[in-house]
């Protein structure tokens, strides 16, 4: 009996090790959920826009939309979450347009019409390309640039803001780090040893030399509200509390969302 039990333990340990190895080599599928087809465009929703093509420093061609406002209070650089592509963010573009913001939204590599495959290092290059485009090609002063990131995009915005000096930063539904979130979701796995894409936010915000607003819903079913609270505390930043799910809180709490962003952008 002891021998049989020992064999079962060995089989279980081997199966666990194989599963961990499988997750290590396929973890990109747990991080990134891109789609290539654009399901709509801003002009179908009353928003004038320009198609923009960029080339990242490693030669990857990227695609985005520039949606101008008539008399913009600022220009917002929009970093989206880990699913879909820019065509799934029309509702947010309409909100920002209502706030009088010109917006540049970029599809990360591997998303929408952008070439390549997503990964943390590559997305960092994509963010740099977007920053250069707004600063150099469109001549937007850094002080007039607002970096906005939702979910995964909050990590992209935080990393870029740490290296540059934007006018303001908005982090919506952020996680403290991919490792922290993964360890909460999979407590039985050695997530922090496996993870290749750190997407750190908490450790960066104190070094950002710009006003920060953190936005998070108490009902968020994907990234717990506590992540947003910890980030706001570390940044010494206000926390705009919403109600609603991870993907629709800004719509379900639209009035509070608009008021909160207006107050932050026009103190």
């Amino acid at each position: 009996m002891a021998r049989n039990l020992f064999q079962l333990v060995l089989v279980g340990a081997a199966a666990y090790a194989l599963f961990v190895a499988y997750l290590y080599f396929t973890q990109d599928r747990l991080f990134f959920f891109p789609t290539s087809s654009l399901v709509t465009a801003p002009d179908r929703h009353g928003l004038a826009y320009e198609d923009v093509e960029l080339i990242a420093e490693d030669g990857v061609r990227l695609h985005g939309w520039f949606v101008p406002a008539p008399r913009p209070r600022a220009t917002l650089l929009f970093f989206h979450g880990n699913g879909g592509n820019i065509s799934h963010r029309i509702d947010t573009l309409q909100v920002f347009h209502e706030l009088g913001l010109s917006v540049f939204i970029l599809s990360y590599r591997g998303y929408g019409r952008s070439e390549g495959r997503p990964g943390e290092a590559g997305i960092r290059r994509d963010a740099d390309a977007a920053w250069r485009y707004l600063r150099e090609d469109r001549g937007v002063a850094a002080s007039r640039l607002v970096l906005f990131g939702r979910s995964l995009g909050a990590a992209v915005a935080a990393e870029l803001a740490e290296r540059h000096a934007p006018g303001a930063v908005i982090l919506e539904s952020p996680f403290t780090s991919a490792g922290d979130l993964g360890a909460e979701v999979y407590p039985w796995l050695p997530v922090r040893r496996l993870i290749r894409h750190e997407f750190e936010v908490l450790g960066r915000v104190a070094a950002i030399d710009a006003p920060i607003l953190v936005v998070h819903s108490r009902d968020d079913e994907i990234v717990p509200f506590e992540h947003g609270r910890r980030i706001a505390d570390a940044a010494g930043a206000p926390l705009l509390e919403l109600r609603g799910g991870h993907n629709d809180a800004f719509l379900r709490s639209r009035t509070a969302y608009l008021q909160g962003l207006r107050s932050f952008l026009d103190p």
Side-chain angles (χ1 to χ4, degrees):
M1 175 134 183
R3 181 178 179 181
N4 290 340
L5 180 60
F6 180 69
Q7 289 176 334
L8 285 173
V9 170
L10 282 180
V11 170
Y16 178 79
L18 286 172
F19 181 65
V20 167
Y22 171 79
L23 288 178
Y24 178 79
F25 289 109
T26 63
Q27 64 182 266
D28 285 3
R29 299 177 188 174
L30 300 176
F31 270 97
F32 310 111
F33 302 93
T35 59
S36 57
S37 297
L38 300 184
V39 298
T40 190
D43 59 352
R44 299 182 196 172
H45 305 268
L47 299 174
Y49 79 105
E50 301 173 27
D51 266 316
V52 177
E53 289 193 359
L54 305 177
I55 300 180
E57 64 179 1
D58 57 353
V60 175
R61 290 184 174 275
L62 307 170
H63 172 252
W65 290 334
F66 184 78
V67 182
R71 291 179 297 278
R73 67 173 72 192
T75 297
L76 183 142
L77 175 50
F78 186 160
F79 296 114
H80 62 74
N82 68 337
N85 58 55
I86 59 176
S87 68
H88 299 99
R89 274 75 191 188
I90 296 294
D91 287 337
T92 309
L93 293 178
Q94 290 175 316
V95 169
F96 291 152
H97 191 74
E98 186 174 337
L99 289 169
L101 295 163
S102 292
V103 180
F104 180 55
I105 182 169
L106 177 74
S107 269
Y108 308 132
R109 59 187 60 205
Y111 287 73
R113 287 165 45 189
S114 293
E115 298 176 345
R117 295 180 61 182
E120 185 174 17
I123 290 175
R124 185 180 300 120
R125 296 187 184 99
D126 302 344
D128 282 337
W131 175 271
R132 287 195 304 272
Y133 164 71
L134 291 174
R135 293 282 289 113
E136 298 172 10
D137 294 8
R138 301 204 77 98
V140 181
S143 62
R144 301 279 295 167
L145 269 174
V146 178
L147 300 188
F148 171 87
R150 177 178 289 148
S151 192
L152 178 76
V156 182
E159 195 279 333
L160 185 66
E162 187 182 26
R163 294 186 288 111
H164 295 283
V169 181
I170 302 172
L171 306 175
E172 185 172 320
S173 307
F175 45 73
T176 54
S177 73
D180 289 344
L181 184 61
E184 293 173 11
V185 176
Y186 305 105
W188 46 279
L189 287 172
V191 171
R192 289 186 176 85
R193 292 186 179 183
L194 293 173
I195 206 161
R196 296 199 309 272
H197 308 290
E198 295 182 356
F199 287 111
E200 173 71 30
V201 179
L202 184 65
R204 297 189 186 281
V205 291
I208 294 174
D209 186 20
I212 298 174
L213 173 66
V214 180
V215 184
H216 215 119
S217 172
R218 286 191 172 274
D219 307 317
D220 195 317
E221 75 285 9
I222 294 177
V223 181
F225 178 78
E226 179 67 13
H227 284 247
R229 189 196 63 76
R230 290 179 62 197
I231 290 167
D233 288 348
L239 174 58
L240 175 59
E241 298 183 19
L242 304 180
R243 302 311 297 254
H246 183 75
N247 294 311
D248 67 357
F250 75 99
L251 292 174
R252 292 182 60 185
S253 301
R254 183 183 175 91
T255 299
Y257 188 67
L258 285 168
Q259 290 175 348
L261 265 59
R262 280 197 185 100
S263 296
F264 175 67
L265 293 169
D266 295 324

